[in-house]
Amino acid sequence: MSQNGSDSAIDVRTPKRQKLSSREPARDSVNKIFAPFRTLGLVSSTPVPFTSLPLGKTTFQITTSIGRSLQTYDLRKGLNLIFLTRPQTPATITSTLAWKDCVLAAWGEAMPVGEVGVWIFKRGKKTAELEMPNGLSEPIRSLLVLGSWIVGCCTSRVEVWRSSTLEHYTTITSTGPRGGMLTGDICTMPTFLNKVFVGKGDGSVEMWNVHSGRLIYTFVPPTAFTGPVTALKPTPALAALAIAWSDGSIVIQDVRSDKVILRLNPKPARKTSITSISFRTDGLGAGEDGQRAGIMATAGPDNGDVTLWDLNDGGRINGVLRGAHSPPSSNSGGVSGGINKVEFLPGQAVIVTSGLDNALKSWIFDAKSLTTIPRILHCRNGHSAPVTTLGFMPTNSDGSDASGKWLLSAGRDQSLWGWSLRRDGQSGELSQGRIRKKAKKLGALGNALQDGQSMTLEDLKAPEITCFSSSLNRDGGMGAAEGGGAVWTNAATRKIPTDATESLATGWESIVTGHRGDKYARTWFWGRKKAGRWAFETGDSTEVTSVTVTSCGTFAVVGSAGGSITAFNLQSGMRRQKFPTPLTPTQAKKLKLMQVNGSQSTEAPGGRDKFGVGIGKHRQPVTGLVVDAMNRSLYSCGLDGKLKFWEFHSGLLLDELDWSPMSAITASRYYKQSDLIALSCDDLSIRIIDTETKKLIRELWGCLGQVSDFCFSHDGRWVVAASLDSIIRVWDLPTGHLINAIRLESPCTALAFSDTGEYLATAHADGVGVNIWNNRTLFTHVSTRLINDDEIIDAVAPTASGEDGQGLIEAAFDVDDTSDATQPTDIANVSDQLSTDMETLSLVPKSRWQTLLHLDAIRVRNKPKEPPKPPEKAPFFLPSLEANKPAPAEAQNKESQITPTERSRILKLDRISTESPFTVTLRTGTRTHDYTPFVDHLKSLPPSSADIEIRSLKPNELVAFVTALRWRLQQRRDYELVQAWMAVFLKIHGETVCEDSMLVEALQAWRTEQAEEGTRLGELVGYCGGVVGFLRSARV
């Protein structure tokens, strides 16, 4: 930049990094910023039942399906995850079966021409697959191993394979007089060789011989209105088969005589289908004293209950395990509840259940308990409904809780989860109190209450979380005061005054949440992973729409749908401030008189007359709240299109930006390090505001659907946004360019960027898991070139198994080889000097030339304190035989044939070849008056080598060296390097200067040039500093 403003003096050259060519880049095949890593929170997220494998008498492995992969848990280790299957199946898994030390997984799509298959996994790795018959396009709904046969049941036929060779044996098709489709339920009976029982859609059960492929017998249902068969299970008694139908009725059938032994629930009050049956085999649990055999458990997808039957003396209900899993939600998009399988472990008083609520649980029957209902033993679960809100937990003030480790998520299942990105076993749901105990008291776990109104566990939980905020600076961890055990109380209505002495010593809550349709914002203990003491009521008793916690962790600010903003103290639970601050009676009377007199001045205390006391409330819901790092200012935005700047301690409105009625603000995000606020608007744009100058600095466009969530990157350079068009976009704030965009299969509903910059977390509308992406740019450079719509990449989402996922370092260096093709080819060299009036510094790292200046001190510091000690027993090496061999006679003869003239020429060439490039380039520059090669070579040398070269200057090279540095000053380039080199030169050769008059003249010429250039550079720096200060001032 030139100060004189003369256009003619400026060298017209291309700006740095400016694209000169309009050539369209080739489309990328790999996402250059985010690489898929893994998916969190999936346990039993599909209707496919789990399968168990006993290993000995007390160890069991439970395998569940999570879509296209399997997860195996060890029951003995508390349902710890031990295996994840790879590779993923080509389609969704439809059935699983544990057999010996392997797990069979059938996969396929319910399409007329869909591909199906059965893979065999061992210890998480695929080892084999079954041979598929030609023409099979129906998914296999259940698998069974029968002696030397593997049987798979589809919707219209049964496939049989040999278990020894895995070859397809035969296909069985139902052609009986009753016809009908198969339900997919299949089982075998002990002592019935090669016989399988298949359930049908008309309620009948067929018995087939898989070896001969013949239909042996058909068992008809007891009535014509039972519906399809929903479950088949052999009993511990020989030749007895339990059959369940869709109307809820169950029979125990003698398959040898075709007679009904026992009929249960023949006329159910409510038709609840039973899809899973299991029998207890430890010989206990039945009878009045619980010492008899004959316990059967049934469950289905219509509710979350497990019914226990005592089959002795005609059969009766022995007990009901209420709320074992969440029931299906009545709300659209809510919990997909119900139970898909219940199973007694062989010989154990333990029952395992899995549900559509993404949970796997084990229950144990106490030997000397007075109740017949089991208690929970182990539990492994995740969100049971799609995730709606995500956020990484911040770091403690002392750094004890590592940043980027914990991820907080809230979903439509009315739960709040904390996920550990380092160890899955540490993840868990934050407790909302004794929900089950309260439900039992109210009878909510039964069919209905006394007044006839039904109630579920959902009614006892806090409503769905719509927003949350956290700060760990005052979190008490496990030692935080619980407040007497009461959760979510209103401090303003408490009869007993709040004592904050205990919490002052131990810490208090660190998370505040807002809930859908609820006027209370609730607090949570992060260290204790449980609900907190306070429920903050909004100032106007309307729904909470936005919350925030100050950086110090002391105050929580709550915004409502009515536009009110209230600050509360997290330690005491008391209200501390309203925004705007309420008017006193005297102020209200004065304001009324001023309005009557027509005065427009509403002077506030301190001379701030733009807004008065009690003025500035939002007229529509508050959608965003932010408090700066020093608790000086509060920034609020709302659907009224206004961004307001408040004084935090006084509650006075200082300023506002009004974009109504052009657009409404739907959400806000804050980056504290640079005091920037990002606002999403209903016109599909994202606007960036500098809170210091209160100016709009960026408008980001490109979303084709409503913005569902957005955030800043860890360094504040990017804004990452997800919209309902299923695209995640990344903008670069310094340039304002859209630099990356990925298209996903389903819309992203929430996202969060870790404070360390390692991970991006996303949640989607069609799943209950949380996807984790790695950030490649921690190790690689990403171009800030503006991309167009044709360069949006169809990305593959992460998977729970981590297949096709990449670790952080692996993702950084696994870049497509064609990535260079996307970069513009005609780019000006960044090292070129843009103008002769500008001072261009070098690209040499600062540490290199600073090390050169202090090289002597560094050597003294690094000098060893004592000489190295020789080893006690030095190894003995034999001398090399090659070194003692005499020179060959031919070489000696050739040496003797060289003439004196040739020897002189060779010695001259040898002397020239031994000269260093430093000397050669310096001599060449003196002859051509162009020292560019010499300066470039000196810049490439490390500090120690440059020091040696300067020390090795011969007396006739000193003047040339000073002349080269003066020439570089005249070029107005590498100013800081020239100063460093001259300082080292004078320190080494200072005594020689007085003895050489030519060297003195050269140094005087250099000093004159240095003084002129230093003065000019100081003026340029002062001019540029003034311009920048003027542009940053609030008056502009």
Side-chain angles (χ1 to χ4, degrees), residues 498-639:
T498 303
D499 184 9
T501 306
E502 184 179 3
S503 62
L504 180 62
T506 62
W508 50 80
E509 296 90 331
S510 54
I511 302 174
V512 178
T513 56
H515 303 260
R516 188 178 303 280
D518 191 9
K519 64 178 181 180
Y520 292 102
R522 292 169 167 81
T523 61
W524 305 74
F525 289 102
W526 170 247
R528 289 184 172 271
K529 303 294 190 297
K530 59 171 291 184
R533 300 168 294 169
W534 313 124
F536 301 136
E537 185 177 2
T538 56
D540 51 8
S541 298
T542 58
E543 175 185 356
V544 176
T545 55
S546 182
V547 295
T548 188
V549 177
T550 58
S551 299
C552 62
T554 304
F555 300 99
V557 186
V558 180
S560 71
S564 69
I565 303 174
T566 310
F568 297 87
N569 187 294
L570 284 172
Q571 181 184 5
S572 63
M574 301 301 294
R575 188 184 69 191
R576 292 307 181 197
Q577 187 61 266
K578 283 189 173 182
F579 301 88
T581 182
L583 291 172
T584 63
T586 304
Q587 291 173 336
K589 184 177 180 180
K590 180 179 179 181
L591 179 61
K592 187 175 181 180
L593 290 175
M594 293 172 60
Q595 292 176 348
V596 171
N597 297 331
S599 175
Q600 301 296 326
S601 174
T602 56
E603 185 174 355
R608 292 164 293 188
D609 56 355
K610 187 173 184 180
F611 299 97
V613 179
I615 295 178
K617 179 181 177 181
H618 285 279
R619 301 301 180 185
Q620 293 191 33
V622 179
T623 56
L625 290 172
V626 169
V627 179
D628 67 352
M630 303 301 294
N631 289 1
R632 295 175 180 174
S633 302
L634 169 70
Y635 313 113
S636 65
C637 61
L639 293 180

Side-chain angles (χ1 to χ4, degrees), residues 75 179 202 284 316 344 372 409 412 444 613 760 805 939 949-950:
L75 182 63
D202 58 2
L284 299 174
R316 64 182 179 86
F344 279 100
T372 59
S409 67
R412 295 179 182 174
V613 179
L760 174 71
K939 288 165 60 176
E949 294 290 356
I950 297 176

